[in-house]
Amino acid sequence: MESKERIALIGFMGSGKSTIGRILAKRLGKSFIDLDEEIQKESGMSIRQLFVNFGEDHFRKLETIALKKAAEMNQVVVSCGGGIVEKSENLRILNENFFVVFLDVPFEECYRRIYGDRSRPKLDTDVEQLKNLFNRRKKLYLNAADVVYKPEKETEQSTAENIARVILEFDQL
Ligand code: S3P
């Protein structure tokens, strides 16, 4: 049976969406799209430049445009930015067009991976605020997800393999 046509990976910054998404796409024989990369290509600016020059709202508009475009593609794995769940319009697009996988990685692990990364403007704050953002968004991720995957101590390769298996099993239902 055909595997799900469009897969979206959601989760907090540093949860591994892009790396795992790339491997997952290969494993399922689909194309891979990273929404942040698409936004940067289209605008000719880095995410930080977009935030600094035009503000977060403008970035969010571009993000929704990129998500809509991805929703029109066939056989694709999409890695979404961590803030994709902030807009109800995005939640609707995800719900109607994608099989949504939430990468459920604890805050401490995400933070360890992204700490000091200047390319992520949402990190320009203190750890407490970031933890609040994480906690608030976690509920949104859980609500939006068709499947929640919690990586244990495993490689990104085996996370992608396990997610692929879950997706293929869902197809048998
Ligand atoms: C953001 C996450 C980033 C990127 C932008 C905003 C967020 O993507 O879209 O910096 O609001 O969490 P990653 O989750 O891929 O880091």
Side-chain angles (χ1 to χ4, degrees):
M1 210 186 274
E2 277 286 313
S3 65
K4 297 266 177 299
E5 194 161 2
R6 273 175 239 100
I7 317 287
L9 291 185
I10 62 169
F12 203 65
M13 293 174 277
S15 57
K17 294 164 294 197
S18 300
T19 312
I20 290 161
R22 223 170 240 115
I23 305 170
L24 181 63
K26 204 176 253 178
R27 167 71 179 73
L28 295 173
K30 297 185 192 298
S31 333
F32 174 71
I33 290 184
D34 183 307
L35 288 191
D36 282 345
E37 276 176 18
E38 294 304 306
I39 294 165
Q40 293 180 98
K41 258 192 260 164
E42 280 290 318
S43 65
M45 273 184 227
S46 69
I47 303 288
R48 173 166 290 283
Q49 280 172 329
L50 284 168
F51 266 69
V52 170
N53 295 336
F54 303 109
E56 181 168 349
D57 281 359
H58 179 72
F59 169 78
R60 296 291 167 209
K61 282 186 188 136
L62 300 182
E63 187 174 48
T64 299
I65 293 170
L67 180 63
K68 278 186 183 155
K69 246 189 190 169
E72 284 168 6
M73 296 184 68
N74 297 323
Q75 301 300 340
V76 73
V77 174
V78 177
S79 163
C80 301
I84 199 82
V85 290
E86 295 284 357
K87 271 172 72 178
S88 54
E89 186 180 5
N90 297 344
L91 295 173
R92 183 188 55 76
I93 297 168
L94 285 171
N95 180 45
E96 288 176 1
N97 299 282
F98 293 87
F99 185 76
V100 180
V101 180
F102 167 36
L103 276 176
D104 187 7
V105 175
F107 176 75
E108 290 67 24
E109 179 61 20
C110 290
Y111 190 65
R112 193 185 61 75
R113 294 180 191 164
I114 59 182
Y115 174 78
D117 181 349
R118 293 283 303 147
S119 72
R120 289 177 161 111
K122 296 298 278 184
L123 296 183
D124 298 353
T125 178
D126 58 46
V127 62
E128 208 170 307
Q129 300 252 36
L130 208 56
K131 178 91 205 245
N132 288 340
L133 182 70
F134 177 94
N135 289 335
R136 187 172 63 73
R137 283 185 180 171
K138 178 147 181 183
K139 297 180 194 112
L140 298 170
Y141 296 137
L142 287 169
N143 265 331
D146 293 300
V147 158
V148 179
Y149 187 81
K150 227 184 227 290
E152 299 298 334
K153 286 195 176 1
E154 60 194 46
T155 61
E156 285 153 334
Q157 182 73 41
S158 62
T159 296
E161 278 296 327
N162 290 335
I163 293 174
R165 203 167 312 127
V166 171
I167 289 168
L168 295 170
E169 272 166 17
F170 253 80
D171 276 343
Q172 312 295 319
L173 297 178

